[in-house]
Amino acid sequence: MDLSLGAAIGGDLPTCREIAQEYSGPAPVILVNGVDRTGADLGLLRKYQVCPVGFDPGTRLAVAVTAASGEVVRSTEICMVCDSPADAELLDALYWTPFLGTPAGRYTVTATDGRQVWRTAFTLLPGATSPLMVIRDYDNDLHPGDEAVVELAGFRPGDQVAIDFFFAGESQAKGEYRTSVVLRADDQGNARYRLVTDEDDPRGGWNLLARPAGGFPSKPPLADIMVPFHLG
């Protein structure tokens, strides 16, 4: 593999349908990853699940995430508790992952049924709130010759960060160590790599581990900085 300077989501969340059915608050509210984030500071590379809850079953809502510039960065139509087959595809949440390059600043989330609008707002930070790594635009498999972008955030500004490669094959274990690359985080603690796969790279499961290049100063950061991918 050629890596030249150029996923980390945490545990599974309840579905928006489950959250909506369990919600017992006095009024509708927009939850982000299951919490009211009004006025909160959010970071890059985290996958955010936006759930409007507290609405009557069958209510259709247009949900959007809008930057301070007025640009709508993500939008969808959802129906939180709808049971008809025609509405089945609307039972999902709005999902948004702000990758590196997403402008920092104030963002507003709105939900409207066409008559009334509900809002929440948060500030997106220029980095991550904890060490994270994702493979951008990666669905399920990479194929020999494919390229992918690896993004990291949440490290200390200017620090060197190592990415270790482990080949796991068909195993669920971390795998056999193969190689490492080192990069330097920018002044926001972020970094980006271009991963290029080769025809002779072993097929199967791989794991990437991001860590401070000098080793962990005390204990490893969150375990979610290990990211798997499959080369097929």
Side-chain angles (χ1 to χ4, degrees), residues 40-124:
D41 290 337
L42 305 183
L44 299 178
L45 303 192
R46 182 73 62 182
K47 184 177 182 180
Y48 293 109
Q49 173 183 272
V50 178
C51 301
V53 299
F55 295 86
D56 293 334
T59 302
R60 286 176 177 247
L61 297 166
V63 184
V65 180
T66 305
S69 64
E71 178 188 2
V72 176
V73 298
R74 191 76 172 171
S75 64
T76 192
E77 182 183 6
I78 66 176
C79 189
M80 293 307 307
V81 185
C82 296
D83 292 317
S84 71
D87 292 325
E89 65 182 27
L90 301 177
L91 295 177
D92 208 352
L94 180 149
Y95 292 98
W96 178 52
T97 302
F99 294 110
L100 298 189
T102 303
R106 182 179 174 85
Y107 284 75
T108 302
V109 183
T110 59
T112 179
D113 60 2
R115 301 184 305 275
Q116 188 173 351
V117 179
W118 293 265
R119 292 183 175 87
T120 188
F122 58 84
T123 299
L124 184 68

Side-chain angles (χ1 to χ4, degrees), residues 131 155-156 159-164 182 210-217 219-221 225:
F155 291 86
R156 292 186 300 188
D159 271 7
Q160 288 189 323
V161 180
I163 300 179
D164 300 325
V182 177
R211 59 179 175 81
F216 297 116
K219 61 180 180 179
I225 59 171

